[in-house]
Amino acid sequence: MRVALFVTCLGDQFFAEAAADAVRLLRALGVEVDFPRDQTCCGQPAYNAGYRREALQMARHTLRVFEHAEYVVLPSGSCTATLRAFYPELLREDASAYRAATDLAQRTYELSEFIVRVLGVTELGKGLEGRRVAYHHGCHALRELGLREEPLTLLRNAGAELVDWEAAEECCGFGGLFSVKLPEVSLAMADRKLDTLPAPDLLTSADGGCLLHLAGRLEHRGRSVPVQPLASVLWEAHRGG
Amino acid sequence: MEVKSQQYPELARKILRQTPQVREAVTRAALHFDHNRQTAYAEIDAAFWRQWAEAVKNHVLTHLDHYLELAEQRLAARGVRVHWAETAEDARRVLRELVRAHGVKRAVKAKSMLSEELGVNPALEALGVEVFETDLGEYIIQLAGEPPSHIVGPAIHRNLEEIRRLFHERLGTPLDAEPDALAREARRVLREAFLSAEMGVSGANFLVAETGTIALIENEGNIRLTTSLPKVHVALVGIEKLLPSLADLAVFLQLTARAATGQRIGTFVSLIQGPRTEAEPDGPEEVHVVLVDNGRSALLADPEAWEVLRCVRCGACLNACPVYRQTGGHAYGWVYSGPIGAVLDPGLLGLEATLPLPFASSLCGACFEVCPVRIPIPKLLVTWRQRAVAAGLASRPEAGAVRAYAEVMTRPELYRLFSKALRVFPGALEHPVLPVVRAWRAGRSGLKPSPKSFRELWEEGAV
Ligand code: SF4
């Protein structure tokens, strides 16, 4: 099985090691991984901010890059949702591009989703034995992709203890440009997440943007909770056990 | 009500800084409502009934002329006087005429968001009419001289301490009065008002076309008194509130109550079908229904934005919204706040008057998940954002930056250069010269790019 990794711009720039861990994990699960070199950004920030023309331009670019991929896998819930839900919407007025977009949508998966739903793997190893893990559900993964149990199952089966977190499914307030357009509201939302966060050994999520925002806020508030992208945590689950 | 939606960012900032207790009170109450909704939804096949409700509403809205005519005819047949109000001013004129015709000195009002939209209280007061809000929450904020901050719980932003102080100042209750005692005092004042008012004003949760039935849901009983004690009852009804039949109503009453407060049905449901008949001992002598457009039919004709008219004003989206919970409703600067306000207000008032409300969302989608009539609020938010950008209402630097970003991202070689530059000059992120980075760094620390991009790791064979 061949997978084209869409590392996403944030992954490429800010979570390079986690993206590498995603590759290591996929290979360890017997998957061949490609990295189409012309890939850049899915265009989500432009789409969310109302820049339809620019988002469309980026959607067409990404469609071309992944045209022939058997599967596209992303270490990001919200970018997966962009390809899956928003590309068809953006391209609805162009019949052939629309077909290409819905076709791509069917081959596109977030990493943990791919592992559980496509590979049918729910046990990666026991590398998280005894770790108390807090999982932040990115909104798009949760509501656009309907991903709730997949990442949790993988973490739990690797021995992690998932901590009870009242606000685990609440938006962290990142929201792309929202976090810089309305900073006070965005930070108040992050604070609500962090105020209700128990003291876990580790905070993780399938969404890099949320993690940058939450980790940045944690550090600003002088609280230290190790923050690690899901791809790295899953690789540790496998490698460590 | 004056439209202050353009000031959303300042209002939100001010509320967060100056009245942190608002965030606390709203969060607590909204989460409580939302939790109750979850429990109440879990008892039914919520997905099924939400879809059903969406379909019924869509049917009514796409055949609105038919149902409006039917409703008018059935109401008239039961002795209700029907008025059409194209604008807020038209609706106020109807009220003015009734006030004059009946020599109204006092009016009691049931909670009605539409009446806030129409500016009913100031209009009546200008005629020398004393107006009493009779919903306890609404009465509290009337005493405080504030607009409601939530569709269902108008005083949701106020904590007990504040209400104690307010009642102490205005009604002379002791500063440590228990909630029961406060309610009792309000009841005493309002009881007098009910008995002496010549006019009762209400909204309508639904208007059933087939039977001409005005349906009202409440928990306190004040609506019942408002609509039955005074000799004139005026119901203000938005034209989008129609339902075809009583059978539809039976389900909508339950679904709305579940979504709003987690109740299976409101404590009181009033079905009003006209003035008192000779065989009836009580009830008003005259019932007037004012069918209000005020921008709705234009919105209905908008192929991308009309779905918002399905709204039954249950407030579930507000309760579920983490953005709303930080500030409460006053930040939104108009009658309808929260996610529904962010897509309804531009539809009724125009985009320019309400920017940046469509941007007051992280697009988390919690609102859509709970909405009993499945209004795709996130999609509508994006639609309004796209319109704002297309109309050139975005800031120029922002538009320029997004254009440049799209250019870089569709030229892989340029992107590569950029990625290199970020590492050659990591200071670009350390020294916040860029406005976006500066905004990010105010409140968040440690934005550091990986030492090497993934692309570099891959190309070096390090992966
Ligand atoms: S948009 Fe939906 S959830 Fe929000 S108030 Fe209207 S009906 Fe209720």
Side-chain angles (χ1 to χ4, degrees):
Chain A
M1 191 180 289
R2 272 178 96 89
V3 152
L5 183 74
F6 188 178
V7 75
T8 79
C9 56
L10 275 190
D12 193 20
Q13 302 305 329
F14 291 94
F15 299 107
E17 263 313 312
D21 288 341
V23 176
R24 294 177 187 120
L25 179 62
L26 286 167
R27 284 187 185 142
L29 295 172
V31 176
E32 220 178 305
V33 182
D34 289 334
F35 178 72
R37 66 188 299 272
D38 281 352
Q39 62 173 277
T40 56
C41 163
C42 67
Q44 181 187 173
Y47 181 78
N48 283 355
Y51 291 83
R52 189 176 177 93
R53 192 156 43 96
E54 286 78 2
L56 195 60
Q57 186 185 344
M58 286 188 259
R60 288 187 189 280
H61 174 78
T62 300
L63 270 173
R64 263 196 307 278
V65 172
F66 292 99
E67 201 178 348
H68 301 296
E70 188 183 344
Y71 290 103
V72 180
V73 171
L74 301 89
S76 158
S78 64
C79 304
T80 306
T82 301
L83 268 63
R84 207 136 92 194
F86 304 144
Y87 279 12
E89 200 279 314
L90 273 169
L91 290 153
R92 63 175 186 239
E93 271 146 30
D94 174 345
S96 77
Y98 177 76
R99 196 164 339 102
T102 48
D103 178 61
L104 178 70
Q106 284 163 17
R107 294 178 275 127
T108 300
Y109 292 88
E110 182 277 328
L111 178 68
S112 68
E113 182 187 32
F114 179 77
I115 293 171
V116 174
R117 292 193 196 165
V118 180
L119 298 181
V121 173
T122 53
E123 293 229 19
L124 293 171
K126 287 286 169 205
L128 301 176
E129 209 74 72
R131 309 281 298 274
R132 300 181 70 249
V133 176
Y135 187 80
H136 161 67
H137 287 272
C139 298
H140 287 132
L142 189 61
R143 302 197 181 86
E144 294 287 345
L145 306 178
L147 260 181
R148 177 181 273 116
E149 285 311 315
E150 288 78 355
L152 301 184
T153 302
L154 292 175
L155 293 169
R156 215 181 278 120
N157 289 349
E161 181 201 330
L162 292 168
V163 300
D164 255 336
W165 184 11
E166 183 191 332
E169 294 190 3
E170 278 179 34
C171 178
C172 67
F174 172 56
L177 288 186
F178 173 78
S179 58
V180 292
K181 276 188 177 217
L182 294 162
E184 291 85 2
V185 182
S186 162
L187 291 174
M189 288 161 74
D191 286 342
R192 149 89 187 154
K193 294 266 332 186
L194 299 174
D195 290 343
T196 55
L197 179 68
D201 299 326
L202 176 65
L203 167 60
T204 188
S205 171
D207 266 288
C210 306
L211 284 184
L212 278 180
H213 166 67
L214 287 174
R217 188 59 182 167
L218 270 169
E219 199 181 319
H220 185 90
R221 291 174 35 157
R223 221 187 126 183
S224 82
V225 174
V227 176
Q228 228 183 343
L230 182 66
S232 290
V233 179
L234 294 182
W235 171 237
E236 195 177 321
H238 181 74
R239 194 187 43 170
Chain B
M1 180 175 170
E2 194 196 339
V3 184
K4 286 193 235 147
S5 303
Q6 285 181 334
Q7 299 165 37
Y8 174 83
E10 297 94 80
L11 293 172
R13 190 181 316 131
K14 216 167 119 193
I15 291 168
L16 280 164
R17 286 200 189 146
Q18 295 176 4
T19 46
Q21 72 274 20
V22 167
R23 178 173 178 247
E24 227 170 277
V26 173
T27 299
R28 188 172 325 118
L31 285 173
H32 176 71
F33 278 143
D34 190 56
H35 174 80
N36 289 353
R37 177 207 45 85
Q38 270 175 38
T39 315
Y41 266 15
E43 290 179 348
I44 56 172
D45 185 348
F48 173 85
W49 287 111
R50 289 171 64 225
Q51 229 150 36
W52 175 88
E54 174 188 7
V56 172
K57 271 286 184 181
N58 281 354
H59 169 77
V60 178
L61 290 170
T62 48
H63 299 79
L64 197 56
D65 49 348
H66 164 75
Y67 285 112
L68 282 169
E69 270 172 39
L70 186 61
E72 180 181 29
Q73 185 198 325
R74 296 295 146 88
L75 283 164
R78 292 188 184 273
V80 176
R81 318 246 178 107
V82 179
H83 311 259
W84 297 88
E86 204 182 314
T87 63
E89 179 46 29
D90 292 343
R92 291 191 295 257
R93 190 178 314 125
V94 173
L95 284 169
R96 275 201 292 272
E97 279 160 15
L98 289 171
V99 163
R100 289 199 184 111
H102 293 277
V104 175
K105 295 268 174 302
R106 277 191 157 186
V108 279
K109 269 188 69 214
K111 193 177 87 58
S112 152
M113 295 308 278
L114 179 56
S115 79
E116 304 282 342
E117 179 186 326
L118 301 173
V120 165
N121 287 15
L124 289 177
E125 279 155 9
L127 297 172
V129 176
E130 204 181 351
V131 184
F132 290 82
E133 291 292 345
T134 61
D135 169 270
L136 182 56
E138 187 87 30
Y139 181 62
I140 290 170
I141 59 165
Q142 187 186 27
L143 286 182
E146 284 181 355
S149 77
H150 185 283
I151 307 180
V152 173
I156 193 176
H157 59 290
R158 291 260 172 178
N159 62 31
L160 179 58
E161 268 327 297
E162 292 172 315
I163 295 168
R164 276 181 172 143
R165 218 171 314 125
L166 183 67
F167 271 52
H168 173 72
E169 283 161 19
R170 304 296 308 272
L171 305 173
T173 47
L175 266 172
D176 58 353
E178 287 307 308
D180 271 357
L182 298 174
R184 218 172 311 128
E185 181 56 19
R187 197 176 300 137
R188 193 188 57 74
V189 174
L190 292 174
R191 200 163 280 167
E192 278 174 37
F194 281 125
L195 292 172
S196 54
E198 297 90 358
M199 181 193 258
V201 180
S202 77
N205 286 93
F206 302 100
L207 173 59
V208 179
E210 207 177 79
T211 50
T213 308
I214 304 160
L216 290 152
I217 313 175
E218 59 167 331
N219 281 322
E220 295 170 9
N222 67 76
I223 292 186
R224 185 150 293 184
L225 295 170
T226 302
T227 57
S228 60
L229 282 180
K231 63 178 194 266
V232 183
H233 167 211
V234 187
L236 304 163
V237 187
I239 53 171
E240 82 283 17
K241 294 274 175 160
L242 265 75
L243 287 181
S245 72
L246 284 176
D248 301 314
L249 177 67
V251 184
F252 267 96
L253 286 175
Q254 299 176 55
L255 198 57
T256 305
R258 281 178 196 273
T261 50
Q263 291 166 287
R264 290 175 180 151
I265 193 162
T267 311
F268 296 87
V269 173
S270 302
L271 304 180
I272 297 167
Q273 311 219 88
R276 109 162 58 156
T277 62
E278 272 170 27
E280 287 166 338
D282 52 23
E285 290 160 21
E286 281 183 24
V287 175
H288 296 260
V289 163
V290 187
L291 290 165
V292 179
D293 185 323
N294 206 28
R296 285 159 176 76
S297 54
L299 184 52
L300 185 60
D302 182 328
E304 290 179 310
W306 68 279
E307 288 185 82
V308 69
L309 290 171
R310 288 204 295 268
C311 178
V312 297
R313 312 279 192 268
C314 67
C317 57
L318 276 63
N319 301 330
C321 178
V323 174
Y324 170 84
R325 288 201 297 258
Q326 307 311 317
T327 63
H330 287 160
Y332 294 78
W334 200 51
V335 181
Y336 306 103
S337 59
I340 180 61
V343 290
L344 181 59
D345 300 354
L348 293 180
L349 302 170
L351 187 51
E352 291 209 31
T354 52
L355 265 186
L357 286 193
F359 291 91
S361 164
S362 60
L363 300 180
C364 80
C367 47
F368 176 51
E369 196 173 60
V370 301
C371 176
V373 285
R374 289 173 46 86
I375 296 172
I377 296 174
K379 192 184 97 183
L380 295 172
L381 288 165
V382 171
T383 299
W384 285 111
R385 291 178 186 191
Q386 289 176 351
R387 288 180 179 185
V389 169
L393 298 173
S395 85
R396 244 182 238 219
E398 181 192 282
V402 176
R403 213 169 302 130
Y405 147 79
E407 290 301 321
V408 171
M409 292 303 180
T410 44
R411 289 184 173 70
E413 295 314 319
L414 211 54
Y415 170 73
R416 201 178 277 269
L417 263 172
F418 228 82
S419 167
K420 286 237 169 64
L422 193 60
R423 280 161 189 81
V424 180
F425 312 105
L429 290 183
E430 291 303 313
H431 297 291
V433 283
L434 302 166
V436 171
V437 177
R438 189 166 57 232
W440 176 270
R441 286 172 56 105
R444 304 176 196 85
S445 315
L447 189 64
K448 290 178 207 76
S450 306
K452 284 187 175 177
S453 70
F454 174 80
R455 182 175 307 266
E456 286 171 304
L457 294 178
W458 179 272
E459 283 166 3
E460 288 167 9
V463 189

